[in-house]
Amino acid sequence: MASTAEEKYELITRRLPEVLGGDQIKAILAEGRTPKCYWGTAPTGRPHIGYFVPLTKIADFLHAGVEVTVLLADVHAFLDNLKAPLELVAHRTNYYQKLLLTVFTSLGIPTSKLRFVKGSTYQLTKEYNLDNYRLSAIVTEHDAKKAGAEVVKQVESPLLSGLLYPGMQALDEQYLDCDFQFGGVDQRKIFTFAELYLPRLGYKKRAHLMNRMVPGLGGGKMSSSDPDSKIDFLDAPEVVRRKIKKAFCEEGNVDENGVLSFVEAVLIPISQLHLENAKGEAEGATPAPFALEGAPEGTVFSVFRKEEYGGSLHYASADALKDDFREKKLHPKDLKTAVADGIVRLLEPVRKAFEQDEEWQKVEKLAYPDPNAKPEKKKKVKVYHPPPPGKGKNAKPAEAAAEPTSAADTSVPIPPAEGAHSLEEAAKQQEASS
């Protein structure tokens, strides 16, 4: 772990394409205080392996002693053009928390200075809402729309909720009591929005750190809404290999190459973390997770090749890898095979943890119900309605309906008393005649 203020600042900011307000962080470190950071994620679609980019950077923050707050932005998830229906947000929030904790654990990242906060625990308070109204009174529609242009889903008729999104993200810096906010370069306009408007509410200006975005597998942005552009954390090995095989990886192209970018932004940083953590361990410690056995010391990524094709390649840096690919010394097929193997290895402990956690499996089904699942047919419950008196198969015949003795008896029914008198008269007439 870094010890001096300079070493900590270097660890906090390494591999980042842009830092706004770095002097504020330096001042905090120079005073011997612990910097506080917040990183937010809206629980909408299924998290994909692009999340490894900020998570590996958060590992640097934690190793530098930074206190990190992970904001599970459930209210933001609902506001962003209804990406997540309100009834699913709670389940997706739980799913994200379980997944992120599992990923941190699988990477060996210390979590003692890591806390999770749900946005709804403070964004629905009186104080927060009053500040939101105060902000709404000074922010123009133009500034709000511009700030969220790269983050909030853009539609032909934008909803008012999308205009609230940037202001709430700015207020989160105050209510989460952070010294700097961390996010992707696509958040830059929201970050500069916060730097402009928070001081106008009487709150201090924060620093902002940004990580690069990893292109999708087909080029463009890796998106949760496009299944072919991403790999989910729970994808099976055969699915991972199929998606990587189909990924855009033009020979010699190092600028728009999602496969190469993932190695640079995720696999190599994880290997470097592993090597740094292994310092001081006994001789013969395990190599970096993406280096082949027998690779030279310091190797962070290896590509297996048969001897007849020149033998395996070993790289100690992303630049060396990119140089070989640019000069076509490394073929896309060999790179894809190595990357697929690396991702499968990276996801194995996450999938295993999911398969052993019944509660997590239940949460996953509630958070992301199968859209093609047919609703269960409800069995009709038969309600018994008793027949009216004298009806039904078990009804007893009335006494008056006894079997007739002759055809004449079936004509007109005779009351019991009258029938007995008539029979008596007939008997007397018969005796007289005899």
Side-chain angles (χ1 to χ4, degrees), residues 116-182:
F116 286 86
V117 175
K118 294 180 182 179
S120 56
T121 59
Y122 66 89
Q123 290 170 345
L124 304 180
T125 63
K126 176 182 176 181
E127 295 76 15
Y128 187 94
N129 277 281
L130 285 175
D131 270 344
N132 205 7
Y133 294 144
R134 289 172 60 206
L135 193 60
S136 298
I138 60 175
V139 175
T140 65
E141 178 192 5
H142 172 271
D143 284 359
K145 194 172 182 180
K146 178 183 176 183
E150 294 186 45
V151 178
V152 180
K153 187 175 182 180
Q154 301 299 299
V155 293
E156 187 175 342
S157 298
L159 301 174
L160 179 60
S161 58
L163 300 178
L164 297 175
Y165 196 108
M168 290 178 63
Q169 188 168 333
L171 285 176
D172 291 339
E173 295 182 358
Q174 174 66 24
Y175 281 81
L176 292 174
D177 189 29
C178 72
D179 297 307
F180 68 91
Q181 185 181 169
F182 171 57

Side-chain angles (χ1 to χ4, degrees), residues 46-52 216-217 222-223 226-236 239-245 247 262 339-340 343-344 347 351:
R46 288 178 180 271
H48 50 72
I49 60 172
Y51 276 72
F52 272 119
L217 299 179
M222 190 175 287
S223 171
D226 182 2
D228 290 330
S229 76
K230 65 185 181 73
I231 292 173
D232 289 339
F233 280 98
L234 300 179
D235 276 349
V239 176
V240 172
R241 298 186 194 283
R242 175 175 56 79
K243 288 184 176 181
I244 291 295
K245 186 177 181 180
F262 189 79
V339 172
I343 294 174
V344 168
L347 298 182
R351 284 195 303 271

Side-chain angles (χ1 to χ4, degrees), residues 73-214:
D74 49 354
V75 177
H76 287 82
F78 175 68
L79 289 176
D80 190 3
N81 204 45
L82 300 179
K83 279 185 179 178
L86 192 58
E87 61 272 15
L88 293 181
V89 169
H91 297 307
R92 293 183 177 182
T93 301
N94 293 334
Y95 179 83
Y96 268 58
Q97 182 166 344
K98 279 185 168 292
L99 176 67
L100 294 175
L101 272 173
T102 302
V103 172
F104 280 125
T105 302
S106 71
L107 295 176
I109 297 172
T111 57
S112 59
K113 290 192 175 183
L114 176 71
R115 68 168 179 152
F116 286 86
V117 175
K118 294 180 182 179
S120 56
T121 59
Y122 66 89
Q123 290 170 345
L124 304 180
T125 63
K126 176 182 176 181
E127 295 76 15
Y128 187 94
N129 277 281
L130 285 175
D131 270 344
N132 205 7
Y133 294 144
R134 289 172 60 206
L135 193 60
S136 298
I138 60 175
V139 175
T140 65
E141 178 192 5
H142 172 271
D143 284 359
K145 194 172 182 180
K146 178 183 176 183
E150 294 186 45
V151 178
V152 180
K153 187 175 182 180
Q154 301 299 299
V155 293
E156 187 175 342
S157 298
L159 301 174
L160 179 60
S161 58
L163 300 178
L164 297 175
Y165 196 108
M168 290 178 63
Q169 188 168 333
L171 285 176
D172 291 339
E173 295 182 358
Q174 174 66 24
Y175 281 81
L176 292 174
D177 189 29
C178 72
D179 297 307
F180 68 91
Q181 185 181 169
F182 171 57
V185 292
D186 60 338
Q187 305 270 338
R188 192 183 194 283
K189 290 178 180 178
I190 291 182
F191 291 167
T192 55
F193 174 94
E195 292 182 3
L196 175 64
Y197 282 103
L198 278 188
R200 295 186 183 183
L201 294 181
Y203 298 137
K204 70 178 182 179
K205 178 180 175 181
R206 268 75 175 184
H208 296 93
L209 279 59
M210 287 160 268
N211 64 261
R212 62 172 54 87
M213 306 297 291
V214 177

Side-chain angles (χ1 to χ4, degrees), residues 322-398:
K322 290 166 73 175
D323 288 343
D324 269 9
F325 194 82
R326 184 185 294 108
E327 296 169 11
K328 300 183 180 181
K329 295 179 180 178
L330 172 59
H331 193 272
K333 183 179 179 181
D334 294 327
L335 175 63
K336 284 184 174 184
T337 301
V339 172
D341 289 342
I343 294 174
V344 168
R345 183 171 182 179
L346 195 58
L347 298 182
E348 183 180 1
V350 180
R351 284 195 303 271
K352 187 175 181 181
F354 175 76
E355 290 166 0
Q356 295 175 346
D357 190 333
E358 291 185 6
E359 183 185 350
W360 189 4
Q361 294 171 29
K362 291 178 182 178
V363 169
E364 188 264 347
K365 288 181 180 179
L366 291 170
Y368 302 100
D370 185 357
N372 299 318
K374 294 182 180 179
E376 293 183 7
K377 291 184 178 179
K378 294 184 179 180
K379 293 183 178 179
K380 290 184 178 180
V381 179
K382 292 184 178 180
V383 180
Y384 175 71
H385 296 286
K391 302 292 183 181
K393 63 180 182 179
N394 295 324
K396 294 181 179 180

Side-chain angles (χ1 to χ4, degrees), residues 288-307:
F290 311 114
L292 294 173
E293 188 176 351
E297 186 177 351
T299 297
V300 291
F301 186 71
S302 295
V303 176
F304 172 78
R305 290 193 312 187
K306 294 181 178 179
E307 290 298 328

